[in-house]
Every structure is written in C-alpha cells, then in structure tokens.
Amino acid sequence: MQSKEVLELMVQACDDKRAADIKVYDVKETSPVTDYFVICHGNSERQAQAISDEVREVAHKNGLDISIEGQKAGKWILCDVGDVIVHIFLKTEREYYNLERLFKDSGDTIGG
C-alpha cells in the first residue's frame, strides 16, 4: 500500500472518532523515518484512546503493522504505522508540546 493511501486511512480513522483539528504534514523530504505526520487531539483521555483504538483497528483491517505508545495515559498517544505517524493529544498537551511549530515555515500542511 502506498504511503498516501495509508495516510488517507489514518486521517479517516481519526475523523471517524471526531478528532479535533486534524493536521497533516508531508515530511518525506526532511524525515528519514516517515513520510507523513498526522497531529490531532481529543477532548478527553477517553476520546483520545478511542481515536487510537480506531487507528489500530483500521491498520489491522488493512494488514498494516502498527505500534502504539502512551495509550494508557491517553494524554499523548503515538501511533506508528510506518510511513505515517499519528500523534493524538489532549488539547492541553497539544498546546504545551506544540509540534506544529516544527513545521511553521515549511508550508507542508496538506490537511486540516
């Protein structure tokens, strides 16, 4: 499966669980480990966990390997689907860590 197809599946999985402010960054030219970052947030730990559960389910249904970190705490959950890495935050953690600042000058956002 092409990385763009994986990206579309992951964004849809986040959207299906009503993730807020979904942003997609194309990092193919700058990252040696992935092609895309997806950043979004949930309004509660439970919602963030539900988003990551949906990402996992969609990955498994499509035969994709996935690794998830931080799901128990539910404040910052990282879902590594190879060519796509999904960051699911609580809103306060998203504002605190502000990963988007890494891309502020790149103009690489392709979603949201």
Side-chain angles (χ1 to χ4, degrees):
M1 185 176 288
Q2 298 288 327
S3 62
K4 185 75 169 170
E5 294 171 293
V6 175
L7 172 66
E8 290 169 5
L9 288 171
M10 297 303 106
V11 169
Q12 187 61 53
C14 293
D15 191 52
D16 286 350
K17 292 299 177 181
R18 293 181 168 58
D21 197 17
I22 302 169
K23 300 284 186 194
V24 175
Y25 297 94
D26 182 335
V27 295
K28 287 189 288 283
E29 301 299 319
T30 57
S31 173
V33 296
T34 194
D35 290 345
Y36 298 101
F37 280 138
V38 177
I39 302 174
C40 64
H41 69 266
N43 294 311
S44 67
E45 289 174 18
R46 190 172 186 174
Q47 184 187 17
Q49 291 162 340
I51 296 165
S52 68
D53 286 342
E54 184 69 11
V55 166
R56 177 188 329 213
E57 187 174 322
V58 168
H60 285 159
K61 281 183 182 176
N62 287 278
L64 302 169
D65 291 330
I66 184 169
S67 166
I68 299 179
E69 298 291 331
Q71 188 172 31
K72 281 193 178 192
K75 297 177 190 293
W76 179 358
I77 304 170
L78 185 141
C79 304
D80 183 346
V81 194
D83 291 338
V84 178
I85 295 178
V86 182
H87 296 272
I88 306 162
F89 290 94
L90 285 182
K91 186 174 184 177
T92 53
E93 272 71 19
R94 183 178 186 172
E95 291 169 351
Y96 177 79
Y97 290 105
N98 191 18
L99 290 185
E100 285 94 338
R101 80 184 180 289
L102 301 172
F103 310 106
K104 68 178 179 162
D105 295 326
S106 69
D108 288 329
T109 184
I110 58 172

